[in-house]
Amino acid sequence: MKDFKKIMLLNSTEQNERMAWYCLEHNEIERFMQLVRSNMPLTTDMLTAMVFFDYSDDRIKEVLTLFTKYTPPVVQWIRNYFPVDELADVLPHFQDNLPEDWPSNEDCVRFKLWETLCKRKQFDAVAQNAPEFLESEQWLSNYKARVALIKADFDKYAPLFLQKSAYGSIIAVEGGWKYLIDHGKLQWLVLNNFFGDLLPKDEVIDYALQQGFAEELYKAKLYPELLARRQFAVFVNNHSFSKDFLTEYPEEANWEDLWEHCNGNKESQNYLKEQAWKNKNVPKCYEFLLAHVGFWKQMRLFI
């Protein structure tokens, strides 16, 4: 039998249905199936004709797995004619056009209709049953699909998403932010403002400090948070001129070190003396001012 693929689509629907009817009426089922394979769009009329001419359900289902094209109402025909439990081999061929409510998500899992479940955004079901389906580039670019994967197997997918810089997918999982901190992405969390209310900011900062990231928090200018946790060493080590640090915790500052880091700049020196003067009764400030202010101001220290 000649290959009709190049000419079949030139026919009207009516012409195709007449040919199908002829084949089915004259019991030329092989010829009909060849037409179906050759780009003749399968229609509900053809399927009903098969029923009319007493073709078996198994033969109808065979035809439903052979087509290259079909008209959308065919799906509704299948739904109305067959019990869903008989369609395990048929439905995978119709995943581009299955309705939202049929078959059920549970049946989709049974029949491995992963594409249908993804279209319904049922990514958790796919991740739990066929995670490899979501590993294609098509779905790995989808945030919700990535979240479903990492929820299903954190140890497997967290390194992959870290490599792809898909950090948002990692923090979507409870405790995922700890993984990012452990792998050097604290700055990313800070730059994204700890995602507002999505992350426990205080808990994140405390964990970062436990892991030894005080320096990174300082570079991120989280000065109030560090001071509230009495992380004074990082201010001293960075020769910090922070007003809050010098004013609120003068006893912790290394005033002479800061004076040296003024490098003779009068403006910086005056600023430093101003901050020290606010706490002149603190021994460290008193000694510093005594060493660096003039005679008359030294007299004021004794008042």
Side-chain angles (χ1 to χ4, degrees), residues 147-212:
V147 170
L149 284 173
I150 201 168
K151 283 168 58 179
D153 192 339
F154 186 90
D155 291 341
K156 177 179 179 180
Y157 292 105
L160 174 63
F161 296 159
L162 185 72
Q163 179 185 358
K164 291 181 173 292
S165 300
Y167 308 140
S169 304
I170 297 175
I171 65 166
V173 179
E174 185 176 358
W177 54 266
K178 290 184 179 180
Y179 181 87
L180 289 181
I181 291 175
D182 293 342
H183 290 80
K185 301 304 176 185
L186 174 61
Q187 288 291 324
W188 182 83
L189 290 173
V190 174
L191 288 173
N192 285 279
N193 196 30
F194 301 97
F195 288 83
D197 296 331
L198 294 180
L199 295 182
K201 181 178 178 180
D202 288 339
E203 191 176 340
V204 172
I205 292 172
D206 289 340
Y207 182 79
L209 289 173
Q210 292 170 15
Q211 301 305 111

Side-chain angles (χ1 to χ4, degrees), residues 75-193:
V75 174
Q76 187 62 40
W77 190 97
I78 296 170
R79 181 177 185 176
N80 291 343
Y81 185 76
F82 287 108
V84 71
D85 284 344
E86 295 183 15
L87 296 172
D89 295 329
V90 171
L91 290 180
H93 298 273
F94 290 87
Q95 291 194 75
D96 60 334
N97 199 36
L98 292 177
E100 286 288 328
D101 63 338
W102 183 84
S104 69
N105 292 336
E106 292 77 13
D107 287 332
C108 286
V109 171
R110 280 202 298 143
F111 300 151
K112 301 181 180 181
L113 304 180
W114 312 127
E115 183 179 342
T116 296
L117 286 168
C118 285
K119 287 181 177 180
R120 295 178 183 179
K121 296 182 172 56
Q122 298 296 314
F123 297 115
D124 285 340
V126 181
Q128 292 163 12
N129 293 279
E132 66 282 353
F133 185 85
L134 295 179
E135 292 175 5
S136 68
E137 286 302 316
Q138 175 189 0
W139 294 114
L140 272 186
S141 62
N142 184 292
Y143 170 75
K144 290 184 177 180
R146 292 197 303 269
V147 170
L149 284 173
I150 201 168
K151 283 168 58 179
D153 192 339
F154 186 90
D155 291 341
K156 177 179 179 180
Y157 292 105
L160 174 63
F161 296 159
L162 185 72
Q163 179 185 358
K164 291 181 173 292
S165 300
Y167 308 140
S169 304
I170 297 175
I171 65 166
V173 179
E174 185 176 358
W177 54 266
K178 290 184 179 180
Y179 181 87
L180 289 181
I181 291 175
D182 293 342
H183 290 80
K185 301 304 176 185
L186 174 61
Q187 288 291 324
W188 182 83
L189 290 173
V190 174
L191 288 173
N192 285 279
N193 196 30

Side-chain angles (χ1 to χ4, degrees), residues 183-299:
H183 290 80
K185 301 304 176 185
L186 174 61
Q187 288 291 324
W188 182 83
L189 290 173
V190 174
L191 288 173
N192 285 279
N193 196 30
F194 301 97
F195 288 83
D197 296 331
L198 294 180
L199 295 182
K201 181 178 178 180
D202 288 339
E203 191 176 340
V204 172
I205 292 172
D206 289 340
Y207 182 79
L209 289 173
Q210 292 170 15
Q211 301 305 111
F213 291 114
E215 187 69 29
E216 285 73 10
L217 292 171
Y218 180 86
K219 290 178 181 177
K221 299 184 178 180
L222 296 178
Y223 303 150
E225 290 81 1
L226 288 168
L227 290 173
R229 291 165 174 78
R230 303 186 68 80
Q231 297 293 314
F232 305 127
V234 71
F235 288 85
V236 174
N237 295 337
N238 282 280
H239 318 290
S240 174
F241 279 72
S242 165
K243 183 178 293 187
D244 289 340
F245 173 51
L246 298 179
T247 302
E248 299 298 327
Y249 305 96
E251 70 282 0
E252 302 295 339
N254 186 334
W255 293 92
E256 289 301 330
D257 173 72
L258 294 174
W259 182 264
E260 290 180 13
H261 276 80
C262 289
N263 294 318
N265 182 286
K266 293 298 181 183
E267 185 177 350
S268 297
Q269 290 174 340
N270 289 335
Y271 166 81
L272 205 56
K273 287 186 283 186
E274 286 174 10
Q275 303 313 311
W277 201 269
K278 294 175 183 178
N279 291 281
K280 64 178 182 177
N281 294 325
V282 173
K284 276 193 173 184
C285 295
Y286 175 86
E287 294 170 5
F288 170 75
L289 291 169
L290 196 62
H292 296 289
V293 298
F295 175 77
W296 294 110
K297 285 195 173 183
Q298 286 179 350
M299 293 298 100

Side-chain angles (χ1 to χ4, degrees), residues 25-90:
E25 183 180 20
H26 293 85
N27 203 31
E28 295 193 34
I29 187 64
E30 295 300 331
R31 182 182 291 271
F32 170 66
M33 290 195 293
Q34 180 62 32
L35 292 173
V36 170
R37 291 190 191 96
S38 298
N39 286 339
M40 181 179 73
L42 186 65
T43 69
T44 57
D45 182 89
M46 298 172 189
L47 294 170
T48 301
M50 291 189 74
V51 176
F52 180 78
F53 289 116
D54 290 326
Y55 287 92
S56 69
D57 286 355
D58 286 342
R59 185 64 89 174
I60 295 173
K61 285 186 279 188
E62 182 182 3
V63 169
L64 289 171
T65 64
L66 294 178
F67 69 88
T68 57
K69 298 182 183 299
Y70 69 97
T71 59
V74 165
V75 174
Q76 187 62 40
W77 190 97
I78 296 170
R79 181 177 185 176
N80 291 343
Y81 185 76
F82 287 108
V84 71
D85 284 344
E86 295 183 15
L87 296 172
D89 295 329
V90 171

